[in-house]
Structures are given as structure tokens and as C-alpha cells.
Amino acid sequence: MAYKGECSAYLEKKIASGTLNPPLDEVKSIKLEPTDTLKCSWDLEVELSGQVLCERSVVANVIRLLDQDNTIPFIARYRQEQTKSMGPEKLREVKEKLEELREVEAKAVAAVRKIEKLGKLDEKIKSSLLGSRTAEEVEHLFTPFKVTAKKTLADRARDLGLGTLALQMLSSSGAVNFSRAVDPRKEGLSSVSEVEVGVQHIIADIIAKDQRAMEFIRNIIKTSRILLHSTKRKTKAKNEKETNVKNKSNSKAKDSDAEKYELYYEFSCDVRHIQPHKVLAINRGESRKMLSVRVEIPNYVSDRFLDFCKGTFLPKGYDQTRFKVIVCSAEDAYKRLIEPLIARTVRRNLDKTAEKASISVFAANLKRLLLIPPVRGQSVLGIDPGFFHGCKYALVSALGKIEETGVAYLHGQRNGINVKVEEDKLKNVLIKHRCETVAIGNGVGCRETEMFFSNQIKRGTFEPLKVVFSIVSEAGASIYSASEEANKEMPHLDVSVRGAVSIARRLQDPLAELVKIDPKNIGVGMYQHDISEKNLKASLDGVVEECVSFVGVDVNVASETLLRHIAGINSGTAKKIAEHRNSRGPFQNRSQLMSVSGLGPKTFEQCAGFLRILPETRTVLHEPDLLTEPKGKKRSAAKTEGPQKRKKMKAEINSDPNGLDMTAIHPESYHIADRLVSAARLNRTEIGSEKFLQMLQTFLRSNDVDSLATEFQTTTSVLKQIIGALSQRIDQDLRDDYEKPLFRSSVRSINDVKVGSVVSGKVTNVTHFGAFVDIGVGTDGLIYFNQASGSQSSLQLGNLVETWVKSLDLERGRISLTLVKVTG
């Protein structure tokens, strides 16, 4: 290597040995060959397995499966032997961490390439960048090389030619004469003290970019008691008049905000133990200019860093001058560069952890909401409550058909309205259609509408019908009602009435109805509007895909909206499946899916196991040949297949029904399932019947699963999955194991609740700090988790609980509850 100015052999040896990170302008830059393959120095599998706490071999399998474009539901259900039965949540975590690490690597490689183009790349900076484990580290190392970046103090000192002096200070024990660099005509070199300061800036820069220093900082952040501190922000208005105007117009909002953030007006907590919801609350308070936030790093951190620098950067046989300059440089590096980096890294890590926690809460609640059991075989009257504009209602039959709609002005908010006539509207609709189930949206007017039905039931208005009602979340209903999809589905209905239809159908089949709405609009999360929309959407879309896929859908009756949420199917493929079904008749077996335009082998592999074909929706095709075009439609020349290819497709795709298509068994395992059915002397046409289930259990009691797996040349994991699928009734639904909707025939007031009384209710939302419970008084009570007689994970959205009223605040409408037990 060659250096500007004179350089001792000792100095050259130190740099060549890698024990010193010299300034970039002091070394000859290296050139990368076009064929050079750059990647981070850490091993992706090792790093990822450490972050997700899984075996490296399992992580390697998951990476391979994801890289092969397999979906999470497919991997979770059909590749359990390769993942050691890793669940969907864990798989999503691995995928997320994998994407983060690959993003860091991509940024690091891009930074190396950019610096190389500038002609300033050396082995040390390349090593530091490719050793980075976070995007923050890459940004920190790359900032000085940005073309638009303002020159740093170290850059200015190097431009003055002080780089060699800095290297000599770090690398040799010989005397260094600062006076030789003095030039009275140049700013920054006019005195010995200015020269010394310039040298310190360069050494500080070297220290801050040293790979060993970065590693030390990582460990410091993990092990030190660093505090996040927030205080009430002091703001001064431009003038008193302006202040008075603002106070009058926003007094209520300010009082509300002040109440929300009182807890954080003088708040301090160790960043290793702070709860995610508090981080999000502090961030929101800071963005609304209600709070001032800072990271407090204890003094011993700087002391430890100085000790580290003394042991790392002081050369052997150093003199007093070197000691002073290097120690001052280390102090400067810490105060000016390292401490801000620690603060940024801490805030970024906190934000990242809090965001993940928020998304996790939202995803868990959404999953529970989607898996609420459907109310089958019942017509439902959906009510979208309102005052001046009335309560919109829609009677939906057990099959989902809209039988009747209208508006009833129940609450006397409009002049000239005969309330008795309006009340009779709903009575007549219920009796006419013999409907005993009412779904009431939980928006404005919900409480009053509850009271109306409670009073009418008490009076016997609906007799002989035994009418009950259930409160249904109407979150996102108004957005859906005005959507293009709703317009296609209900073109004849006014937008205002579509919400009532949606509310009724949400009770009948929550999954089928809620998939029509953007998950983030369903509103069962924590600070979801303060986090990355991209990350939230990716997670929630994954949950919807998981729920729809694992429940399974009948491909012959499922809506296009439902189909597009099946693993492996996008909106285009869902549309083509629906068009194929509508033009050629229902699918007779799963194999026929391969005849859908654009549905290739990979898509079939991912979706086939989640699409069911049931006898009741499978009828004889009006076209004997699935591959012929629909009647009346002329086939274009471009779409005409050659005779040989068409014969081959006809041979491969038959229209014979297959009983296994009713199950969750994947077609790739049909040959194994057939061997099991044959060995147990079962009939595929009887799958799901009591006779079939009894005979299968009898066979399994006398045969070992491991031995059968060996005999059938498969794995125990695959055979168990097949046995599980064959052991289910045809009408069995994954959602049957979850809590059913809560129905009531009467309501209470918050004034009826007394401290110390025991009340029952249903969990409507779960956060990291507590669970909200509907106890039927119009205001949800809150169970704080530090008060719960169990862990946070013991409560989930939809749980039926028995609680004890701990405290009441009637003025603010707050009810504090203590969990007694989970009843359902």
C-alpha cells in the first residue's frame, strides 16, 4: 500500500495486518471485479436460526421452501416433516426475519458498490459494511460517502492533509510534531491547537467506524440499563391572542389528549423492559407535540467505551501526547458520534419491537374474529343503527339471499314520524319471515337499539317467536358498502342499506363476509394507525389467507372474493376459476382445476388441498367434455390446441368424482390415502360417515402408525395428516372449536353495575395491556393483565368470561374488571 507523505514500515505493517482502520483517503482504493460475488460475512442460516431460536437445519428447510414460492399455509399443513410441525405464526416470523436480513445484506452490498464507484473503497470499510447486521449500521457507515452529504469534520481535516498525522498517532510510538503541519494562512491549520483538533476529528471518525467498535456498541445496547424518558412538552404560542383562540376551539381535544398522556408527563423505564403499548403511546404523544422524549444513557457506558478505546487504539509505548489526543478523540467520538448512534438505534429497536407487537395483537385478534363459528341454517335481521336517518334493516335468508330491506325510525329523532308504526315494521318483518335472530351493528345508536329489542321482547311483541339479538362489529361496513365489489354484489340496493346486509351476513358467516373488507379497517388492534401500513397489510393478508385456507372452501359455490384468499390463488386466477365454473358447470374433481386457464402445476400444488368438492354442490355436467368451449362461443385460432396436445389433456383430466376431494388431503398424497383405505377395507364413497369413521378407528387400534408409514413408503407426519383428515365428519368445521356469538334478550345499564358484583361477558378486543369485555351495559370493561388471575395468553378475542367489578368511574364511563375465570 502507498500513503501520502512519509510512512514508517511499522505503520505499513500495522495496516496490512488489519489491526488498524486507516482513513479512506490514506490508502489506495480497491477495485471490484464484475464477477465478484458480494455478500455479508455472517452466515444467513446461522444468523436467522439465532434470531428465531430454531435449529439451523429447520431454518434451512424453511428458507428453501420459501425460495421455491411455497405459501405459508401450504408449508404449515403439507410440509410438516421438513419444518418439525412449525405453525403459521412461527413461519411468518421466520419469513419476516429472513426478509429483514436479506434487506440488510442488499443495502450493505449496494453501499459497497457505490463507494467503490467513488474510488474510496478499501478492505476495512468493505469488511465493516459486509459485517453489518442492521440497516442502521449500514446507514451509519455509508453516510459520509453520500454525494449530497455535507462534509464531516473528519473530511475537512483530511482535506487539510492531516490524515498522515492521525495515522502516526495511532500506529507508532515515535514523536509526532504537530507544529510542522501549521500553516498560518489556512483556517484549521493556523495553530498547533487547530492541527490537534483536526487530528482528533479524524481519529474520532476512525473509532466510530471501526468494526470492533460497532460490535462493542451492539453489546452495550443489549446489556446496559438505558432509559427511555418522556416529559410534558413545553410550548409557547406566538402571542396570547392566538393562544386564546386555539384554546377556545380545541379545549376539549386538548383536555382529552392531556388525560391520555398524563401517565407519560414524567415517565422513565429501562428499554429492556418497557411494554410495547407504552412505546407506541409515547411515540404518538411525541408526534402530537404533547411529549418530549429522550434516551438516557448511563455514564458508565461512556467510561466503558473509553476503556475499550484505550485498549484498542493506543499503540504500545505511547507517550503523554498520544494518550491525551487519542483519549480526547475517543471522548469526542462517543459524545458526537457514538452516543447519538446508540440513541437512534435504541429508538429504532423499540419502535420495531413495538410495531411487531402491535401487528401481532392485531393479527391474533383478526384470526379469532375470522374464526367465529357461523350461525348456520337461520335467517337473520341485520340492523345498522342510526338516529335522524333511521335504522337501516335487511332480512337475509339462511342461504344468504336478501329477502327484504328498509328503514325504521325507532328513536324519535325526526318530526312527523309515528314511532309505533316504525316499531311495527320490524315486528312484521320478523314474523313474516319467521326470523328469531337479530344482528345489531355496534355503531352510533347501538345501545338504544338494544334497549328497543330488549323492551319488545319483555312485552312479548314478537311471540310466538323467541327472538334474541347479538351485537356485531360494523367496522369497515361503510367502506365496503361504497366499494365496487359491493356495487357488483348488490347493484339494486342503496349504499346506506348494504351495511345492514353486511351486518346480517357477518353473523351468518363471519369469514365469508369479512374477507371482503380490508383487514386494517376491521379495527381489532392496538395503535394500528401508527405503524407501517406495508408491514401491517402483509401480516394481516397472511392471517386471512391462513384462515380461509385452513377452513377450506367449496370451489363450486365460493365467491370470487373468497377464492382469491386461498393460498396460491391471486385475484386473476380466482376470476378465471369463477368464469370456468359458470361457463362449464361445477367441478367434479380437483384434477379439473388444471383445465382452468392460467392455473399451472405450481398454483395447483399450493391451492388444491384447500379447495373442496362436495357432493351436494356437484351436479352432472351439461357438457360431457370439459375441454370443449361453451355453446355459442366461437373458439379463436390462438386458443385452439393441437390434436395431440388435446388428446393428452383429455387423458390426464377426467370427470370422475373422487371422495378424497371432500377432505384436506392433498392430491399428491392420494396414492397413500388409497392404500390406507384399501388396507382398512373402507369405501371412499363413505368418507365422513359414521360407519367409515368407526371402521377406521377399529383398524388404527390394531395397527401401528409408524409401521404403516413404512409399509406405505411415506413419513409418519404425512400419514398422521391423512389419518386426521379421514377421521373428520363431512360437516366438521375448524371454526366449531371456537367461541360462538353471544346472544341476549335483555340489556342492563352501567348504573346497574356495582363494585364487587360478578358479571359475565365476552372479550371484544385484546391488547398488550389488557382485554376489553362486553358485559352488556353499553360500555366495555377492561381487565388489566397485571390484575388477571392468569397470563396474558389465557385471554383471546371471543372468550366468554366471568369477571369481578373492581372499580367504576361513572363520569368517564370506565369499568375496571378482574378476571375470575374463562367460561368459554
Side-chain angles (χ1 to χ4, degrees), residues 531-566:
I531 58 183
S532 166
E533 188 170 337
K534 176 185 174 184
N535 294 341
L536 179 63
K537 177 176 172 52
S539 178
L540 299 186
D541 285 350
V543 170
V544 175
E545 182 184 67
E546 173 198 337
C547 291
V548 175
S549 298
F550 283 3
V551 169
V553 302
D554 183 346
V555 70
N556 285 323
V557 297
S559 67
E560 186 181 319
T561 305
L562 204 56
L563 286 172
R564 74 170 69 121
H565 289 291
I566 287 290

Side-chain angles (χ1 to χ4, degrees), residues 528-788:
Q528 62 265 30
H529 301 296
D530 296 340
I531 58 183
S532 166
E533 188 170 337
K534 176 185 174 184
N535 294 341
L536 179 63
K537 177 176 172 52
S539 178
L540 299 186
D541 285 350
V543 170
V544 175
E545 182 184 67
E546 173 198 337
C547 291
V548 175
S549 298
F550 283 3
V551 169
V553 302
D554 183 346
V555 70
N556 285 323
V557 297
S559 67
E560 186 181 319
T561 305
L562 204 56
L563 286 172
R564 74 170 69 121
H565 289 291
I566 287 290
I569 296 180
N570 56 31
S571 56
T573 306
K575 184 178 181 180
K576 288 178 181 177
I577 291 174
E579 289 174 349
H580 187 284
R581 179 182 66 194
N582 294 337
S583 63
R584 305 188 183 191
F587 293 95
Q588 299 300 293
N589 58 48
R590 282 171 170 162
S591 298
Q592 290 179 342
L593 288 166
M594 292 292 289
S595 65
V596 175
S597 173
L599 199 155
K602 188 64 179 182
T603 301
F604 179 81
E605 176 192 51
Q606 298 301 303
C607 73
F610 306 116
L611 296 173
R612 311 290 172 79
I613 297 177
L614 305 179
E616 56 266 32
T617 57
R618 182 184 65 218
T619 57
V620 178
L621 286 174
H622 57 273
E623 290 287 340
D625 184 0
L626 274 178
L627 298 174
T628 58
E629 291 292 329
K631 287 182 178 180
K633 187 173 180 180
K634 192 173 181 179
R635 189 187 316 149
S636 63
K639 291 185 178 180
T640 304
E641 304 287 355
Q644 296 299 323
K645 187 172 183 179
R646 287 182 57 78
K647 284 181 181 179
K648 183 179 179 181
M649 291 177 70
K650 288 179 183 179
E652 291 177 350
I653 303 176
N654 64 73
S655 59
D656 296 333
N658 188 331
L660 296 176
D661 291 338
M662 297 184 291
T663 71
I665 300 172
H666 197 282
E668 67 183 8
S669 300
Y670 276 7
H671 64 289
I672 301 170
D674 284 336
R675 292 191 65 179
L676 175 63
V677 168
S678 176
R681 300 180 183 276
L682 301 170
N683 190 333
R684 279 197 315 191
T685 61
E686 297 177 337
I687 288 176
S689 67
E690 287 299 324
K691 177 184 176 183
F692 185 95
L693 297 178
Q694 289 175 6
M695 290 181 66
L696 177 61
Q697 291 306 313
T698 300
F699 173 76
L700 292 174
R701 280 194 290 269
S702 57
N703 290 271
D704 178 65
V705 175
D706 291 331
S707 300
L708 289 173
T710 303
E711 180 185 342
F712 298 157
Q713 297 180 326
T714 186
T715 64
T716 301
S717 175
V718 170
L719 185 57
K720 284 183 177 179
Q721 193 271 328
I722 292 172
I723 292 171
L726 291 176
S727 300
Q728 294 182 348
R729 305 185 315 274
I730 287 299
D731 62 348
Q732 192 163 332
D733 192 319
L734 168 71
R735 295 170 289 179
D736 292 339
D737 296 330
Y738 289 80
E739 288 73 22
K740 293 177 173 56
L742 181 63
F743 291 96
R744 294 192 176 101
S745 59
S746 63
V747 296
R748 295 180 296 171
S749 164
I750 191 172
N751 295 316
D752 298 330
V753 180
K754 305 297 180 186
V755 174
S757 60
V758 175
V759 293
S760 298
K762 183 175 183 177
V763 176
T764 58
N765 199 356
V766 179
T767 69
H768 278 277
F769 58 85
F772 292 92
V773 182
D774 175 10
I775 59 174
V777 298
T779 300
D780 285 358
L782 176 62
I783 299 174
Y784 288 100
F785 284 129
N786 58 358
Q787 297 174 348

Side-chain angles (χ1 to χ4, degrees), residues 9 44 115 152 157 194 276 303 329 367 411 485 501 547 554 566 592 614 673 686 747 783:
L44 179 62
I115 296 171
T152 65
E194 284 191 356
D303 295 337
S329 299
K367 183 176 180 178
H411 309 308
E485 189 170 341
V501 176
C547 291
D554 183 346
I566 287 290
Q592 290 179 342
L614 305 179
E686 297 177 337
V747 296
I783 299 174

